[in-house]
Amino acid sequence: MSVPPANPLVNDPPAWLVEGAPHLWLPYTQMQTTPMALPVVKTEGVRLTLADGRELIDGTSSWWTAAHGYNHPHIREAVTAQLQKMPHVMLGGLAHEQACRLATRLSDLLPGDLGHVFFSESGSVSVEIAMKMAVQYWINNGKTGRTRFVAFKGGYHGDTLATMSVCDPDEGMHTLFKGAIAEQLIAELPTDDEKAAALDAFLGAHGHRVAAVLTEPLVQGAGGMRFHDAETLRRLRRLCDKHDLLLIHDEIFVGFGRTGTMFACEAAGIVPDIVTLSKALTGGTMALAATIARAPVFEAFLGEDGGRALMHGPTYTGNALACAAANASLDLFEREPRLAQVAAIAGQLERELAPARNLPGVRDVRVKGAIGVIELERMGDLNAIKRRFIEEGVFIRPFGNIVYTTPPLTIGTADLGRLTAAMLKVTAEIAAA
Ligand code: PLP
């Protein structure tokens, strides 16, 4: 059996790690060369506690989920209370209060007539559902052949087969699978008028076979933390209207305040036809995702004919514990000044990451909301760099040529200062190596 290489940062690994590590296949990990993962025994606020008692300040929010910090008492209490009553009941022919309340609240929060909420359990699946909805929308409207998607260079929408097909096919993480997944229409984002004209012409030529245009609004996350402005989103909305195409916003990363508004579409003042949400939906506690459609999309599925219905139903759709966590997370967004906190984080990130601009080997430093990025000309040995961050007492996971932080929105000034100081220090070391 293959055993992960020892990790010099794991002192005296607990028995469960030694026994379990050879069996636990980790995400995005070369299991032969990556040192044994760090054993975490507790999370609280912005801190991860390791088995040997050390604490790390988390700069990732567990893949951008823990908006209110870890283990928030309000969410914990809501999940515990729900667990006493009913952890789960299927939504086939049944309904429950947590799912109904959450669907109502999301409909109220999202702009326009985005009012029809379909729950699933992961971001990728919610995007798959959005894609399926879009294809069937046209079938139900009597238009055939609209089966393709326009997505964008630099984009990422998930790891399942359909969502892999709408990721950047050349620079994304799924390039190995070219030929094995559906071929979509990958275009450049219309970040200026010239690119908008090119996309306009492209849609003019191909629109008749397109079900929807799919985009990550304001920030392309896993594709490299690339930012664009709200005008780009307005151009996309105008082009979709002109060519009679559905517009899908994948707000799985940017939703729930990360870029400064509750949802990225609000920053552009537009209403997409379908929105996907996950990650911070439950404040980083439970797996839950939602695909939310505008009234005309939903109405295309209505009729006497059962065949027009959306034939999708994940077993755990609308799980009561997850919906209770999400309702509690929304309470916190209502009660606590999260968006003001994001603005303060943005200011501090701007100030404290700015000196990185003067480091050799730094291509760009950029900040949007609670996202701070240092882009390098080239990355060194990733495992060694990750280790250096841990030695500095922080958890930061660089990827590609990006060193970034997406801290919990509740992080205090001193803790954020430790994250940015570590980013500057380790970036300088990479540049000097
Ligand atoms: N869409 C975007 C924009 C994402 O950032 C992610 C995950 O990083 C996904 C979809 C996939 O979500 P999940 O990992 O929950 O399947």
Side-chain angles (χ1 to χ4, degrees):
M1 190 174 296
S2 143
V3 176
N7 188 337
L9 291 173
V10 181
N11 313 312
D12 198 12
W16 53 261
L17 181 65
V18 176
E19 282 162 23
H23 301 285
L24 187 62
W25 197 337
L26 297 172
Y28 306 122
T29 302
Q30 173 44 261
M31 299 299 292
Q32 182 167 318
T33 54
T34 306
M36 188 180 269
L38 298 176
V40 179
V41 293
K42 197 177 130 193
T43 57
E44 190 80 45
V46 298
R47 282 177 167 67
L48 313 175
T49 306
L50 304 183
D52 63 6
R54 269 177 306 162
E55 286 186 348
L56 300 177
I57 298 175
D58 179 36
T60 69
S61 304
S62 277
W63 277 328
W64 324 330
T65 61
H68 316 287
Y70 290 102
N71 211 352
H72 195 289
H74 181 63
I75 302 182
R76 194 171 61 220
E77 280 154 24
V79 173
T80 308
Q82 186 59 38
L83 185 60
Q84 307 299 328
K85 284 190 267 184
M86 181 176 70
H88 178 70
V89 67
M90 70 174 184
L91 290 192
L94 304 170
H96 58 79
E97 184 182 353
Q98 293 293 349
C100 286
R101 282 186 54 221
L102 183 57
T104 308
R105 291 174 86 179
L106 291 174
S107 302
D108 289 346
L109 272 174
L110 282 155
D113 55 351
L114 280 160
H116 303 276
V117 182
F118 194 99
F119 290 117
S120 55
E121 65 294 84
S122 84
S124 301
V125 173
S126 71
V127 175
E128 295 256 348
I129 293 167
M131 294 170 74
K132 187 165 167 182
M133 247 178 212
V135 170
Q136 193 176 341
Y137 168 85
W138 293 108
I139 296 171
N140 285 0
N141 276 321
K143 298 205 175 139
T144 52
R146 286 191 173 244
T147 55
R148 298 282 148 206
F149 291 85
V150 172
F152 295 97
K153 287 183 185 157
Y156 172 83
H157 297 283
D159 293 344
T160 54
L161 282 173
T163 58
M164 283 160 66
S165 78
V166 283
C167 296
D168 186 316
D170 300 313
E171 289 181 30
M173 66 176 86
H174 305 307
T175 51
L176 260 184
F177 291 84
K178 251 188 186 176
I181 49 181
E183 223 172 280
Q184 306 294 3
L185 303 162
I186 307 297
E188 259 197 79
L189 272 172
T191 49
D192 58 32
D193 288 342
E194 204 179 312
K195 287 184 181 142
L199 184 60
D200 190 8
F202 185 78
L203 295 177
H206 299 283
H208 61 283
R209 52 194 189 108
V210 171
V213 172
L214 170 59
T215 191
E216 286 166 275
L218 296 184
V219 183
Q220 293 179 308
M225 295 290 166
R226 305 169 204 224
F227 302 164
H228 51 265
D229 61 8
E231 184 53 30
T232 301
L233 302 179
R234 285 189 282 271
R235 288 191 190 101
L236 278 176
R237 180 68 272 181
R238 284 196 293 271
L239 286 171
C240 285
D241 289 343
K242 176 175 173 186
H243 295 279
D244 194 20
L245 301 170
L246 295 178
L247 175 63
I248 303 173
H249 268 199
D250 174 349
E251 298 229 7
I252 287 166
F253 172 33
V254 294
F256 301 105
R258 181 60 62 184
T259 64
T261 49
M262 192 64 174
F263 302 106
C265 57
E266 288 171 49
I270 59 165
V271 184
D273 299 297
I274 303 175
V275 170
T276 58
L277 299 172
S278 187
K279 293 199 183 280
L281 174 58
T282 63
T285 46
M286 312 277 299
L288 185 68
T291 307
I292 301 135
R294 291 184 63 186
V297 175
F298 178 73
E299 282 156 15
F301 289 76
L302 303 180
E304 298 298 321
D305 173 6
R308 290 173 70 87
L310 180 65
M311 294 306 286
H312 206 93
T315 303
Y316 281 97
T317 180
N319 172 258
L321 290 175
C323 289
N327 276 314
S329 174
L330 291 185
D331 294 343
L332 294 172
F333 275 106
E334 276 169 21
R335 287 181 204 163
E336 298 184 4
R338 286 292 170 272
L339 298 184
Q341 287 168 314
V342 172
I345 290 171
Q348 190 177 346
L349 286 172
E350 289 278 6
R351 281 191 307 279
E352 294 183 355
L353 294 182
R357 292 201 172 92
N358 302 322
L359 292 172
V362 169
R363 188 184 288 166
D364 189 29
V365 176
R366 51 186 180 268
V367 171
K368 197 180 275 287
I371 307 169
V373 181
I374 302 176
E375 183 174 332
L376 307 173
E377 297 292 347
R378 53 163 196 88
M379 184 64 78
D381 172 353
L382 260 184
N383 284 334
I385 292 164
K386 286 176 191 166
R387 200 161 59 230
R388 281 291 300 117
F389 278 115
I390 289 155
E391 286 164 355
E392 292 298 317
V394 301
F395 188 68
I396 300 253
R397 266 177 71 89
F399 67 94
N401 55 354
I402 298 290
V403 177
Y404 80 98
T405 184
T406 47
L409 309 182
T410 48
I411 194 165
T413 316
D415 286 338
L416 185 56
R418 283 195 55 196
L419 289 175
T420 55
M423 286 170 76
L424 290 186
K425 186 169 178 189
V426 175
T427 302
E429 290 171 10
I430 300 169

